[in-house]
Amino acid sequence: MKILSAKVLVTCPGRNFITLKIETDQGIYGLGDGTLNGRELAVASYLTDHVIPCLIGRDPFQTEDIWHYLYRGAYWRRGPVTMSAIAAVDMALWDIKGKALNTPVYNLLGGKSRHGVMVYGHANGKDIEQTAEEVARYTEMGYMAIRAQSGIPGLPSTYGVSKDRLFYEPAEKGLPPENVWSTEKYLNHVPKLFEKLRVQFGSDLHLLHDVHHRLTPIEAGRLGKSLEPYHLFWMEDPVPAEMQEGLKLVRQHTTTPIAIGEVFNTIWDAQQLITNQWIDYIRMTLVHSGGFTHLRKVADLAALHHVQTGCHGATDLSPVSMAAALHFDIAINNFGIQEYMRHTPETDAVFPHTYKFDKGYLLPGEGPGLGVDYDEKLAAKWPYERAYLPVNRKLDGTMFHW
Ligand code: CS2
Ligand code: MG
């Protein structure tokens, strides 16, 4: 089998998605996600101008060789644009392999290790009461794990608190919106949220919280310690992790489990975190980390060091990524949990898929390949629209982490 052609598909059914479609000389095609929120067209150009010409005529079964050809061959390594482009190719090739062999991709990754993939949903509200109502709604839908974020008294807007109840979308059209931040107000408020949730929902529900890289290591230690009575499933991105040693300090001060890595691109971003056992969950995801071929290596390194996976699964990852994540999650032994933010009906219509939610689990479906398709005619109705993630400033105007 040979790669005949490939093209980048851009659509905006409510938000932007970049999809790579690779066609073979045997009529089989594969899909890969290359969406990088707020920087989508950089990946589209990387693929169209620099990657696709090098793919024509290659054997789509050679996923390992093609991965290294694109990674080492570029000379310029790592980075979100490069790694998302490589991921799109890798995902599409595994989709082709599955279809050619008439089997779901998970069977090529070791087969099913579990009957379903436990997912967590997003409950958020403008205050503690409203967040608790949302948690209740998620438990009624069957979720066993829920991430809770609440507005902070005294701050006009907060990360993670959406405008829509079901469909959280952080990117906004136009230029980047600005949020205001106070670490002290945040640290004083969050324990009250989780105290309320434990009283109302009991001990068994898995509760998660995303700090979104906003604390210093010692502040994160304080937060983790104050949340210990409420035994969170995890505290996510407590600090920016470019400096991996920072997590050592957090670790020394709290037993609250730590998840990190949604913005990482290669194994080198997490190597110290994993081998020193400074984290409990690695949140790297297929689309931003080089696809199956690379994330498998990360998961295997993590398995040796008591670290489990918890792949990023926000709405800015397309249904192709969600399907791919489910094949990966169901196959590996050290799976921990999968994030699941529901896409809008418009997005689901562009990407018809076989995965489905059932009593707190997502199931990837039994069909060949990834089990996702792309409706090109429908997608063409929604052309690209520039949108940005917000930026964040401290009360005195200082530019801060988002
Ligand atoms: C968040 C994301 O899902 C998460 O944990 O951190 O909403 C993230 O902000 C977006 O995916 C950024 O594109
Ligand atoms: Mg996050």
Side-chain angles (χ1 to χ4, degrees):
M1 197 188 296
K2 279 193 172 23
I3 296 173
L4 200 62
S5 64
K7 62 179 172 188
V8 175
L9 303 159
V10 183
T11 185
C12 186
R15 69 144 2 273
N16 293 309
F17 294 109
I18 302 295
T19 309
L20 178 68
K21 183 170 184 176
I22 299 183
E23 282 165 315
T24 64
D25 59 354
Q26 294 186 18
I28 295 172
Y29 62 87
L31 296 175
D33 183 20
T35 308
L36 182 63
N37 206 0
R39 297 292 185 271
E40 296 88 358
L41 297 184
V43 182
S45 161
Y46 193 108
L47 284 165
T48 305
D49 297 322
H50 307 294
V51 171
I52 289 175
C54 305
L55 294 177
I56 311 306
R58 290 183 185 276
D59 174 356
F61 270 70
Q62 289 185 295
T63 45
E64 190 70 26
D65 183 69
I66 291 175
W67 194 93
H68 287 278
Y69 180 86
L70 295 176
Y71 182 80
R72 299 179 195 218
Y75 185 67
W76 311 105
R77 298 179 184 210
R78 307 167 66 175
V81 175
T82 298
M83 298 309 286
S84 301
I86 295 178
V89 174
D90 192 73
M91 259 185 241
L93 297 183
W94 283 92
D95 191 23
I96 290 170
K97 278 198 218 199
K99 287 174 178 166
L101 298 171
N102 197 25
T103 194
V105 168
Y106 60 72
N107 276 339
L108 307 177
L109 302 171
K112 280 189 182 177
S113 286
R114 55 194 53 79
H115 58 75
V117 170
M118 183 170 75
V119 295
Y120 70 89
H122 285 212
N124 53 72
K126 65 176 177 9
D127 54 25
I128 291 178
E129 282 308 315
Q130 209 183 67
T131 305
E133 280 167 27
E134 284 299 288
V135 172
R137 213 162 58 82
Y138 273 88
T139 58
E140 281 153 25
M141 285 191 272
Y143 283 82
M144 294 171 281
I146 301 165
R147 180 186 108 159
Q149 311 287 135
S150 131
I152 299 162
L155 296 183
S157 62
T158 311
Y159 159 71
V161 180
S162 63
K163 293 179 187 130
D164 190 290
R165 270 154 57 97
L166 255 189
F167 307 110
Y168 175 61
E169 177 45 67
E172 286 186 32
K173 295 181 184 139
L175 292 177
E178 298 206 356
N179 289 331
V180 184
W181 179 250
S182 157
T183 296
E184 204 48 35
K185 287 188 200 302
Y186 170 77
L187 287 176
N188 290 335
H189 182 66
V190 176
K192 294 179 197 151
L193 167 67
F194 285 94
E195 183 185 10
K196 157 85 178 165
L197 297 180
R198 275 295 171 227
V199 170
Q200 188 170 336
F201 297 97
S203 300
D204 288 348
L205 185 64
H206 296 308
L207 292 172
L208 298 81
H209 180 68
D210 192 347
V211 184
H212 229 252
H213 333 259
R214 288 181 174 184
L215 301 176
T216 64
I218 205 69
E219 289 164 350
R222 169 180 156 193
L223 178 66
K225 220 174 204 172
S226 67
L227 292 174
E228 281 170 20
Y230 319 117
H231 48 94
L232 265 56
F233 187 93
W234 79 35
M235 164 171 83
E236 176 182 335
D237 286 333
V239 295
E242 287 96 328
M243 186 187 73
Q244 298 184 42
E245 291 90 335
L247 271 296
K248 184 179 181 181
L249 195 57
V250 184
R251 202 59 155 173
Q252 280 165 354
H253 290 284
T254 181
T255 57
T256 295
I258 298 167
I260 224 159
E262 67 180 45
V263 301
F264 294 173
N265 317 122
T266 74
I267 199 164
W268 304 106
D269 297 322
Q271 186 210 10
Q272 284 170 273
L273 297 176
I274 291 172
T275 56
N276 289 305
Q277 302 178 48
W278 289 334
I279 59 169
D280 301 278
Y281 296 91
I282 179 71
R283 281 190 39 75
M284 288 168 66
T285 184
L286 291 159
V287 56
H288 302 137
S289 311
F292 293 103
T293 300
H294 193 59
L295 202 63
R296 183 69 204 234
K297 294 176 172 81
V298 177
D300 286 345
L301 179 70
L304 299 177
H305 297 89
H306 307 289
V307 176
Q308 293 176 276
T309 64
C311 291
H312 187 203
T315 39
D316 46 295
L317 285 66
S318 88
V320 178
S321 265
M322 182 50 68
L326 297 175
H327 287 270
F328 185 77
D329 295 339
I330 211 157
I332 59 169
N333 177 264
N334 59 326
F335 164 74
I337 199 166
Q338 170 67 49
E339 180 179 16
Y340 176 44
M341 281 165 82
R342 287 164 193 263
H343 287 109
T344 58
E346 292 79 11
T347 297
D348 284 341
V350 171
F351 297 91
H353 51 261
T354 57
Y355 63 79
K356 54 176 190 288
F357 180 80
D358 184 33
K359 300 185 191 78
Y361 294 101
L362 272 179
L363 312 169
E366 311 284 323
L370 294 174
V372 190
D373 215 335
Y374 189 92
D375 185 335
E376 289 189 47
K377 236 170 124 187
L378 185 60
K381 283 193 191 164
W382 289 299
Y384 173 80
E385 289 183 62
R386 186 163 54 224
Y388 290 96
L389 289 165
V391 296
N392 196 28
R393 290 185 189 278
K394 292 187 195 177
L395 290 172
D396 69 358
T398 309
M399 190 67 213
F400 202 47
H401 312 289
W402 185 74

